[in-house]
Amino acid sequence: MSQSFYITTAISYVNAKPHIGHAYEFIASDAIARFKRMMGMKVFFLSGVDEHSAKVEKAAAAQGLPPREYCDQMSDVFRDVHARLGNQLDDFIRTSEPRHHAATKEMLRRSYENGDIYKAKYAGWYDLTAEAFVPETDLPEPDKRKNIEWIEEENYFFKLSNYTERLKEHFNAHPEFVQPDMYRNEMLALLDRGLQDISISRSTTRWGIPLPWDETHVSYVWFDALTNYLTGVGFVHDMAMYETFWPADAHIIGKDINRFHSVFWPAMLMSAGLPLPRQVFVHGFINHKGEKMSKSIGNVVDPLSLIENYGCDPLRYFLLREIAFGRDGDYSEDSLITRYNADLANDLGNLFSRVLSMIKKYRDCVVPNGAVDDSLRGVIDRVQTQYAEAMNQFMLHQALVAIWELVGRANQYVVENEPWALAKDEAKADRLDAVLFNLAEALRRTAIMVYPFMPSKAMEMLGDLGLPREGAPMLNQLDADACSGVTVTPGRSLFPRLEREEAK
Ligand code: MSP
């Protein structure tokens, strides 16, 4: 049986359309999922939407729609964005589904019976944007409290304070539990300050999951939202599937929701007697030309219009190459066009069309038999090793840097070997065979490695190289020297050059 790999994105609030920050998280997770499939693992990739929250309820009311109808429409919008981004999801979860209500109720019941949930009066501040209670010490100045309300109500609380020591032990025993280290350290500091119990229910709204022992309350969003990761793999409706995929291997999330995933979620799971996920991987935020994206500034970037203008694969490449995964990064249309022209149109696209047209011109489209040259061997071995290491550590940008080292070397190899000069000399026919074989091989390996990032372009490349196209490539095909004797189909411009102003 192949090893399983379960990866999730955060589930998005549906109070607004997805922006480029959501898209970034989705495609990064998809690239990792595709890589693990290439390794032969049995992968489950889950994404979805978080529908029960005060801000979703507000957004529905603003459109004059009942929450359910509003959420039906918005969940389709998110599903569609995944499809257009080329993501290969195994499931898409909505927290309003009956299977998810059942899972959340089971989690609540377990914690309640375990004595971790009690009723008390909550009087304090609530931040509607973050969907979180705000301690007095973190309260901003009065003029910055736009979405922060004073709330006084009877709530159920979860005894998070009981878990401080157990969480510390877990963090120490599993340094890989939260990555990168910067975000792990942030959580360690939080644990050092000691945890406070948190409210897990609201009685002022009906749009949520009723508590099994007191239906006048609904579960407060995070308890419900986090449980989606269990529901998605069958808890409690398909326990055989749950056994296959739980615990999750990686929760991919943004830095603003680190503490919910790295502190609250493991405490909930401990309370319910369930195993903890293996890793929470925290990525940074995308700013737009150095500024935080926000509706009020009007600088929110819509991924769909970028896909329309530049194509899905170039957008995937750009985001995953431009921003170091785990750090904040910046988006601007100028840098997208610059990278497209330099890395895609120039380095890779030109190499591809040049090599295929030489194979056509000098060898009637058939790649000669051969083996990888000594002068390429070193770089190929090094790049493939660096690529696999980077992918396994989710250092996606570094994996792309490694691939482009091979692309750069192949371009240099063309210049060094001058196939057009070799073609003029009958005595050098063997050398020309070897050079063309090596270039085809470099392209084949590039296509396989680039597949998680640009799946459609990679398949086009493999197809034009005359390689079998059934299913996605596998990592163990990398070293096969499979180009001997294949028939190529030249003529495609993989990445037509963009004229800057025209593109915009
Ligand atoms: N619904 C919660 C998550 C619940 S998970 C059990 C939520 N939703 S969200 O729609 O606000 O955010 C979804 C994801 O997008 C989060 O991981 C968040 O960090 C990420 N991003 C939101 N804005 C972002 C950027 N500007 N840049 C990168 N990621 C960003 O939080």
Side-chain angles (χ1 to χ4, degrees), residues 33-198:
R34 283 177 188 269
F35 176 75
K36 297 290 176 180
R37 288 192 199 103
M38 275 186 19
M39 286 178 71
M41 291 176 128
K42 183 172 176 179
V43 171
F44 198 86
F45 173 29
L46 180 75
S47 189
V49 281
D50 188 356
E51 300 186 355
H52 301 125
S53 82
K55 60 183 172 191
V56 170
E57 208 176 7
K58 258 193 171 175
Q63 300 214 355
L65 289 173
R68 186 168 297 280
E69 241 171 77
Y70 172 82
C71 289
D72 285 348
Q73 288 176 11
M74 288 303 286
S75 64
D76 283 347
V77 171
F78 276 86
R79 239 189 258 267
D80 178 56
V81 163
H82 272 291
R84 296 212 210 177
L85 288 169
N87 297 332
Q88 195 180 341
L89 294 180
D90 292 291
D91 202 352
F92 181 89
I93 187 165
R94 297 181 55 183
T95 54
S96 58
E97 290 173 66
R99 60 172 173 159
H100 180 66
H101 279 234
T104 306
K105 284 182 173 169
E106 176 61 15
M107 285 297 281
L108 286 162
R109 192 188 61 75
R110 287 181 179 223
S111 284
Y112 188 62
E113 283 177 7
N114 200 6
D116 278 335
I117 295 181
Y118 63 95
K119 196 175 190 181
K121 189 167 169 91
Y122 181 82
W125 298 95
Y126 187 78
D127 181 342
L128 262 176
T129 312
E131 295 287 2
F133 295 91
V134 187
E136 206 66 49
T137 44
D138 295 352
L139 196 66
E141 292 304 308
D143 58 325
K144 298 211 172 69
R145 288 181 201 166
K146 203 175 110 215
N147 278 324
I148 300 181
E149 292 173 351
W150 178 260
I151 287 180
E152 270 182 48
E153 61 183 54
E154 285 257 89
N155 277 345
Y156 285 93
F157 281 74
F158 177 78
K159 284 188 190 163
L160 188 59
S161 57
N162 265 0
Y163 289 90
T164 311
E165 287 314 311
R166 278 181 68 186
L167 285 167
K168 273 189 190 170
E169 279 165 26
H170 187 77
F171 271 73
N172 287 331
H174 302 278
E176 73 293 347
F177 178 57
V178 179
Q179 280 298 308
D181 275 339
M182 172 170 75
Y183 291 113
R184 171 172 190 265
N185 292 337
E186 186 184 74
M187 293 301 104
L188 285 171
L190 194 77
L191 291 172
D192 276 341
R193 291 200 292 276
L195 300 171
Q196 288 181 0
D197 294 350
I198 63 169

Side-chain angles (χ1 to χ4, degrees), residues 358 362-363 368 417-420 422-425 428-438:
M358 288 192 293
Y362 305 133
R363 292 293 180 263
N417 286 286
E418 300 186 325
W420 47 91
L422 296 175
K424 286 188 188 135
D425 186 347
K428 293 187 175 150
D430 285 353
R431 181 62 196 148
L432 180 57
D433 280 351
V435 166
L436 295 177
F437 170 84
N438 273 274

Side-chain angles (χ1 to χ4, degrees), residues 193-308:
R193 291 200 292 276
L195 300 171
Q196 288 181 0
D197 294 350
I198 63 169
S199 162
I200 56 144
S201 79
R202 306 293 302 273
S203 58
T204 46
T205 169
R206 300 309 312 143
W207 180 236
I209 301 176
L211 304 185
W213 62 90
D214 180 353
E215 299 222 331
T216 62
H217 284 251
V218 297
S219 159
Y220 151 68
V221 286
W222 282 99
F223 206 100
D224 148 8
L226 290 159
T227 300
N228 93 84
Y229 301 132
L230 288 170
T231 316
V233 287
F235 185 85
V236 275
H237 59 282
D238 181 350
M239 291 306 276
M241 183 188 183
Y242 163 83
E243 292 295 337
T244 305
F245 288 108
W246 193 261
D249 293 275
H251 292 314
I252 308 293
I253 55 150
K255 63 179 182 179
D256 58 328
I257 55 176
N258 187 7
R259 75 193 157 106
F260 295 108
H261 283 77
S262 303
V263 171
F264 185 31
W265 179 225
M268 275 173 64
L269 289 164
M270 284 173 178
S271 171
L274 298 175
L276 308 193
R278 298 209 169 83
Q279 186 169 74
V280 174
F281 192 96
V282 185
H283 64 75
F285 260 45
I286 302 190
N287 295 318
H288 185 187
K289 290 189 193 159
E291 265 186 315
K292 190 176 156 79
M293 279 186 285
S294 93
K295 269 198 217 158
S296 52
I297 304 177
N299 64 348
V300 179
V301 181
D302 173 10
L304 294 183
S305 74
L306 294 179
I307 293 173
E308 227 157 82

Side-chain angles (χ1 to χ4, degrees), residues 197 263 337 347 411 497:
D197 294 350
V263 171
I337 296 172
D347 293 351
N411 272 311
R497 219 186 143 72

Side-chain angles (χ1 to χ4, degrees), residues 346-418:
N346 218 33
D347 293 351
L348 179 57
N350 280 351
L351 176 71
F352 188 73
S353 50
R354 219 174 161 191
V355 169
L356 265 58
S357 65
M358 288 192 293
I359 295 170
K360 177 180 178 192
K361 190 164 170 196
Y362 305 133
R363 292 293 180 263
D364 208 14
C365 289
V366 179
V367 177
N369 290 347
V372 170
D373 237 293
D374 280 350
S375 65
L376 279 188
R377 180 90 265 162
V379 84
I380 284 183
D381 286 348
R382 192 176 64 249
V383 162
Q384 288 179 185
T385 307
Q386 282 172 352
Y387 167 79
E389 272 174 18
M391 291 304 282
N392 276 318
Q393 292 166 10
F394 303 165
M395 292 292 101
L396 305 176
H397 58 292
Q398 281 173 9
L400 284 168
V401 169
I403 301 172
W404 256 254
E405 191 189 334
L406 176 58
V407 172
R409 180 67 191 97
N411 272 311
Q412 196 187 17
Y413 184 88
V414 174
V415 176
E416 277 167 19
N417 286 286
E418 300 186 325

